[in-house]
Amino acid sequence: MKALMAFLLIASTPSVWAIETVCKHSVETGRDSVRTNSPVFSDSHDGEVYSAQRRSGGYQVRRHFQDHFAESELLWTSAERIYKLQASNDTLWLLTKSHLLAFEIETKTIRSRYATTTETLTRPHQRAHSFFIQDDMAYVAHGSLGVSQIDLNTGDIVKTSSFGMHQSNGHVSKATDILALSDREFLVLAESVTLSRMAPFAFNGLVKGQTTDLQATSWHEYNRAHAGVIAYARFKKFNDEILINNVGTFHRIKLEKLAQSDRSIIPRYHSLNETDRQVYRDLIG
């Protein structure tokens, strides 16, 4: 719900449509409980934004037109929860806990379904969280299982890597977001799974890796004393910075700081102005 509130702040002009078409579905009340049901949004694509949200009957995938957000079009209803979606040309890519779906926008049908792991998921933190696509390959941040690479031409899982999510000190972290830095490098956002009141702690921060072998090349832990930790966060690359939405608090990290191997991170905390609103809006969901 904090992420949803942040969306309303960022959306500015579209906040009216957000209230009317999204917020009313974001809180479910029962006899003895209240449950939040925040939507997931895609990045803006050709003047359109796509969303996925649980409503009666399943998870509804909708298309919103930026000039008329109050008018959303239902494209498809999924029985599985959708954790991330991304539009590319005529395809909407949908990520569930263990599959990546290629949804054809024009025909409103699933063209392909790709397994993202061969493991049997026994813990919620093992699920797929995020992905990016590059050169017909999908790279998936798969929670505490690490990172997997899927060939979108064959459907094969080419490589998997625990990506250091299980540490020698006995702690466990999970890969919760991933983005491309170049054709050879990617960046993973890692959050703690296991908790401790005193050191050593589970890793919490950013990890750089190589697309060639999915191996981690440098670790950049959040400085707990000065920056706290990241949780339920999303990030994106914008110009020479990494922008992070950390449960409604916005952080900026210069890429040059990640060039220094294994350097701890103290991000700049950032308040939004009008210029920033569109940039950060894609981080909500």
Side-chain angles (χ1 to χ4, degrees):
M1 181 54 68
K2 288 183 179 179
L4 181 60
M5 292 301 102
F7 175 79
L8 298 183
L9 292 174
I10 292 169
S12 188
T13 300
S15 62
V16 173
W17 73 260
I19 293 171
E20 293 180 349
T21 64
V22 177
C23 278
K24 67 182 181 181
H25 300 286
S26 296
V27 179
E28 298 178 358
T29 57
R31 176 181 296 180
D32 302 310
S33 64
V34 176
R35 179 170 59 183
T36 59
N37 177 30
S38 299
V40 179
F41 293 95
S42 72
D43 288 355
S44 303
H45 178 72
D46 293 339
E48 300 172 356
V49 172
Y50 297 86
S51 68
Q53 186 178 28
R54 186 166 63 83
R55 302 189 186 182
S56 59
Y59 287 84
Q60 292 188 3
V61 177
R62 290 182 170 270
R63 172 164 49 187
H64 306 268
F65 299 94
Q66 289 185 325
D67 293 335
H68 304 282
F69 269 103
E71 302 173 9
S72 64
E73 177 189 3
L74 176 62
L75 299 179
W76 185 60
T77 300
S78 170
E80 299 176 271
R81 180 171 181 176
I82 296 168
Y83 293 97
K84 182 172 181 177
L85 61 169
Q86 176 182 311
S88 176
N89 298 323
D90 60 348
T91 302
L92 186 61
W93 296 93
L94 309 171
L95 185 68
T96 71
K97 66 180 181 180
S98 58
H99 287 83
L100 182 62
L101 313 180
F103 177 82
E104 288 192 349
I105 298 172
E106 184 176 350
T107 62
K108 299 181 181 179
T109 58
I110 298 296
R111 182 180 69 242
S112 303
R113 181 181 177 93
Y114 305 91
T116 56
T117 181
T118 58
E119 300 282 340
T120 299
L121 304 185
T122 58
R123 297 287 187 272
H125 54 73
Q126 295 174 324
R127 70 166 175 85
H129 285 69
S130 184
F131 70 96
F132 73 86
I133 294 174
Q134 184 171 269
D135 298 331
D136 294 326
M137 294 285 182
Y139 298 84
V140 181
H142 226 297
S144 59
L145 295 183
V147 177
S148 59
Q149 179 186 22
I150 297 95
D151 188 326
L152 298 179
N153 291 317
T154 65
D156 295 335
I157 298 176
V158 181
K159 297 185 187 72
T160 60
S161 170
S162 62
F163 209 66
M165 294 299 103
H166 293 258
Q167 290 123 50
S168 59
N169 61 15
H171 280 294
V172 178
S173 302
K174 59 182 178 180
T176 58
D177 209 350
I178 187 170
L179 58 77
L181 292 175
S182 68
D183 58 349
R184 295 183 179 181
E185 282 192 314
F186 61 88
L187 189 66
V188 163
L189 190 152
E191 301 180 8
S192 306
V193 172
T194 52
L195 304 176
S196 175
R197 292 184 177 181
M198 59 186 67
F201 302 105
F203 179 83
N204 185 280
L206 305 177
V207 189
K208 289 173 69 174
Q210 300 181 133
T211 57
T212 52
D213 57 10
L214 300 191
Q215 294 304 303
T217 56
S218 64
W219 299 73
H220 306 272
E221 188 160 19
Y222 255 52
N223 186 310
R224 290 173 178 266
H226 297 282
V229 297
I230 44 179
Y232 304 102
R234 292 184 63 187
F235 68 175
K236 70 181 291 183
K237 180 176 176 288
F238 182 72
N239 295 332
D240 63 343
E241 292 182 308
I242 298 297
L243 310 180
I244 301 176
N245 174 6
N246 188 24
V247 199
T249 301
F250 297 96
H251 300 172
R252 306 177 82 125
I253 299 169
K254 289 286 188 181
L255 283 172
E256 63 187 28
K257 292 187 176 181
L258 302 182
Q260 302 177 35
S261 181
D262 300 335
R263 175 176 175 172
S264 65
I265 293 173
I266 302 177
R268 289 194 299 149
Y269 290 85
H270 185 66
S271 58
L272 299 180
N273 57 41
E274 290 300 322
T275 304
D276 297 324
R277 292 183 186 276
Q278 178 60 52
V279 174
Y280 276 92
R281 192 168 65 189
D282 292 339
L283 280 174
I284 304 304

